[in-house]
Amino acid sequence: MTPNFDNSFAQLGASFSRPQTPEPVSSPELLAVNHSLARELGFDPQWLESSDGVAVIAGNTQLSGTEPISSAYAGHQFGTFNPQLGDGRAILLGEVTTADGRRFDIQLKGSGRTHWSRGGDGRSPLGPVLREYLVSEAMTSLGVPSTRALAAVTTGDRVIRERPEPGAILARVASSHLRVGTVQFFASRNDLDSVAALTHYAIDRHYPERADAKNPALELLHAVVSAQAKLIAHWQHLGFIHGVMNTDNMLLCGETVDYGPCAFMESFDPATVFSSIDHQGRYAYQNQPGIAHWNLTRLAEALLPLIDSDTDQAIKLATEAIQRFATQFEEHYRQGLAAKLGLAAPPEDRLLEGLFSALQTDHADFTLAFRFLAEQARASAAVDCPEYGAGAEQLFKPGTKLLEWIPLWMQALGREQTDANERVDAMFRANPIFIPRNHQVQKAIRDAEDGDLTHFHRLHRRLGEPFNYSEQDQDLALPAEPKERVFQTFCGT
């Protein structure tokens, strides 16, 4: 019915977390259970859907074997360091290990006040819970490392934000919730013993192949740099904008976390921002790689005393490590663009510059433009791949600049020596046609607030197959009409 819990993080000591029992809610009701993920983790999905399971997700009942805690961490928020943040509205129930040996955190988000709430209510409105459920699962289907949604419930209680809103709780799953800000919390207090303990724990949990390294802190820095370079490149390939890339929102395991003011870009513009509080565009689409590098530099600073006792040598080694981010990001980014464009090798600068200039001039939809190119490649190579459908040609009309660019790209395709079927198939697997478009997510939220989950479930099902076109769901692939556009998203706190 439920998996066995093994709570290794809770055993690290009192400085890392505080025991924390979720605050009960008045009348919880089920929103959704992720059946496939539940089975993978060892939960019976039908039990999770029962009144007993709902009570656990709501925090009204504690599962045997769990050791609920709220974790300590710090973080740079919009460039300003806050030495004490912590889980202000989340409680880690514990960890489960899957049949193949992978370890996952099970966390309740929106489960009430904690030691770290700083006067907040510790709750979450329904909207952010549904947004995170939809977008995190969509990211997983798109192949992006991400925290996941196990289940969600309403609480029966109202949450006061700009207006009274229905409350909800998300059961979130992550490889861990260890953040750059977790390391910063102890480093800012000069608690080097805890930094060392955290370093060894993170390596053992996420990078066991590096466990025998002579310099564990430097090895952890290298590992996180590599993981984040790959992750951010994948965000850029999909036009995903996180919105709050604070150091407390960068996980050491390299998964995307915290889907508050996030969105997928529609009309291509590198300066696109969605967060309602990002007034200076710090976390715009075009700035995400640079901000990731900045965050990693803060991690390096926190690890310096453990990298080497000689400060100059520590700085030298850490600088070499974080400088690898730019190279690794560029490599992943260009390789991903090659796949999106059907090329075996990274595209030439001239080809890429021409493409992105055309997309911006034409105000082209980022997702559909690339999908349209996949369909053009299929037509020019006269291959099948029928399972992907042909939706983009119906939904997307290329602008003048993109039409002028396509012959240059076709010349590059003509020089390819790879198998045409494999090349086109790779393009379709790299270019989704369904993404969680902001106006569709907002519709799911609005309807759910009125008690109707039909659109939420429909959208969730379709986002589970983002690369296969379905004509009956054509509306879910379309960009927002002017009256439907959502220009800002909010974090829910």
Side-chain angles (χ1 to χ4, degrees):
M1 187 175 297
T2 60
N4 293 322
F5 281 80
D6 177 21
N7 310 308
S8 61
F9 183 74
Q11 307 311 311
L12 284 178
S15 60
F16 288 83
S17 61
R18 297 294 180 95
Q20 196 78 57
T21 303
E23 293 183 356
V25 301
S26 63
S27 53
E29 293 187 7
L30 182 69
L31 285 167
V33 167
N34 188 332
H35 281 227
S36 61
L37 179 58
R39 286 190 290 268
E40 184 180 339
L41 296 172
F43 288 96
D44 178 352
Q46 280 69 42
W47 178 82
L48 280 175
E49 292 177 334
S50 72
S51 59
D52 288 342
V54 169
V56 168
I57 300 303
N60 287 8
T61 302
Q62 187 170 322
L63 270 180
S64 174
T66 60
E67 297 181 41
I69 57 174
S70 58
S71 304
Y73 55 84
H76 278 86
Q77 298 184 305
F78 288 86
T80 300
F81 185 63
N82 188 326
Q84 182 170 301
L85 294 170
D87 286 330
R89 59 173 181 151
I91 293 177
L92 177 63
L93 296 183
E95 304 147 26
V96 299
T97 304
T98 59
D100 58 2
R102 292 176 298 153
R103 181 181 293 268
F104 292 96
D105 284 356
I106 309 294
Q107 184 190 73
L108 299 184
K109 188 172 180 181
S111 50
R113 289 183 178 90
T114 75
H115 174 77
W116 318 99
S117 292
R118 296 172 292 162
D121 60 16
R123 294 301 186 185
S124 176
L126 175 61
V129 165
L130 294 184
R131 174 180 292 278
E132 181 156 353
Y133 198 113
L134 288 169
V135 182
S136 65
E137 286 304 298
M139 291 284 270
T140 300
S141 296
L142 290 164
V144 184
S146 175
T147 61
R148 299 195 62 187
L150 172 62
V153 300
T154 54
T155 64
D157 303 315
R158 307 298 284 182
V159 175
I160 306 299
R161 294 299 182 258
E162 292 187 351
R163 57 183 174 86
E165 300 179 53
I169 296 174
L170 176 74
R172 182 164 75 182
V173 176
S175 293
S176 85
H177 287 86
L178 302 178
R179 310 160 187 262
V180 169
T182 314
V183 184
Q184 291 180 293
F185 179 84
F186 297 106
S188 67
R189 288 159 173 75
N190 201 31
D191 183 355
L192 299 186
D193 288 343
S194 292
V195 175
L198 182 61
T199 297
H200 286 286
Y201 178 81
I203 289 176
D204 289 344
R205 184 160 178 177
H206 298 301
Y207 307 105
E209 70 280 2
R210 299 173 183 255
D212 296 329
K214 294 180 180 179
N215 192 331
L218 183 62
E219 201 67 21
L220 177 63
L221 181 59
H222 278 293
V224 178
V225 165
S226 295
Q228 290 293 331
K230 187 174 183 179
L231 177 67
I232 306 303
H234 213 152
W235 288 3
Q236 301 301 101
H237 296 150
L238 296 169
F240 174 74
I241 301 167
H242 184 279
V244 277
M245 286 182 66
N246 300 326
T247 59
D248 55 293
N249 288 336
M250 178 178 273
L251 295 184
L252 301 183
C253 64
E255 292 178 348
T256 312
V257 67
D258 283 350
Y259 293 92
C262 69
F264 284 75
M265 179 167 52
E266 293 192 342
S267 177
F268 179 71
D269 180 356
T272 300
V273 175
F274 281 101
S275 172
S276 63
I277 57 176
D278 190 1
H279 304 298
Q280 304 301 318
R282 176 182 175 87
Y283 298 143
Y285 171 79
Q286 64 189 358
N287 293 341
Q288 291 185 140
I291 289 295
H293 186 271
W294 192 91
N295 288 350
L296 291 165
T297 304
R298 307 288 79 78
L299 174 62
E301 291 170 350
L303 292 171
L304 277 180
L306 298 185
I307 290 176
D308 201 287
S309 58
D310 182 310
T311 302
D312 290 340
Q313 178 65 6
I315 291 173
K316 176 178 180 295
L317 293 172
T319 300
E320 290 172 353
I322 59 176
Q323 283 178 340
R324 293 187 181 184
F325 174 82
T327 302
Q328 293 178 1
F329 167 79
E330 189 71 13
E331 180 180 347
H332 289 301
Y333 180 63
R334 286 182 172 268
Q335 285 177 344
L337 286 178
K340 290 176 75 67
L341 293 173
L343 305 174
E348 297 178 354
D349 288 345
R350 184 169 69 102
L351 190 66
L352 290 180
E353 290 168 1
L355 170 62
F356 290 119
S357 175
L359 295 179
Q360 187 167 6
T361 301
D362 291 343
H363 304 288
D365 182 81
F366 186 80
T367 299
L368 291 181
F370 275 102
R371 183 68 174 213
F372 174 81
L373 294 179
E375 294 183 8
Q376 295 298 297
R378 176 170 58 185
S380 67
V383 297
D384 291 327
C385 302
E387 65 273 23
Y388 297 112
E393 288 195 333
Q394 305 171 42
L395 307 177
F396 177 79
K397 300 302 179 187
T400 301
K401 292 298 181 182
L402 186 60
L403 288 173
E404 292 174 354
W405 174 85
I406 284 177
L408 182 65
W409 168 60
M410 284 292 180
Q411 291 175 15
L413 277 183
R415 295 190 290 268
E416 290 292 305
Q417 301 299 313
T418 54
D419 178 80
N421 280 282
E422 293 180 0
R423 182 168 68 246
V424 172
D425 182 73
M427 281 192 74
F428 277 101
R429 284 187 281 109
N431 293 306
I433 193 161
F434 293 105
I435 57 169
R437 293 186 180 272
N438 221 13
H439 66 294
Q440 296 292 352
V441 173
Q442 288 300 113
K443 174 175 170 51
I445 292 170
R446 286 194 304 270
D447 289 357
E449 289 176 339
D450 292 333
D452 184 359
L453 289 169
T454 304
H455 195 68
F456 168 80
H457 289 301
R458 179 190 174 213
L459 187 56
H460 178 246
R461 284 193 298 271
R462 176 44 52 201
L463 294 174
E465 295 185 86
F467 302 101
N468 298 338
Y469 178 63
S470 167
E471 189 169 355
Q472 67 182 14
D473 289 326
Q474 176 176 299
D475 58 310
L476 302 182
L478 286 167
E481 295 291 338
K483 64 180 180 180
E484 299 175 312
R485 289 176 185 165
V486 178
F487 295 99
Q488 289 187 330
T489 52
F490 302 85
C491 69
T493 53

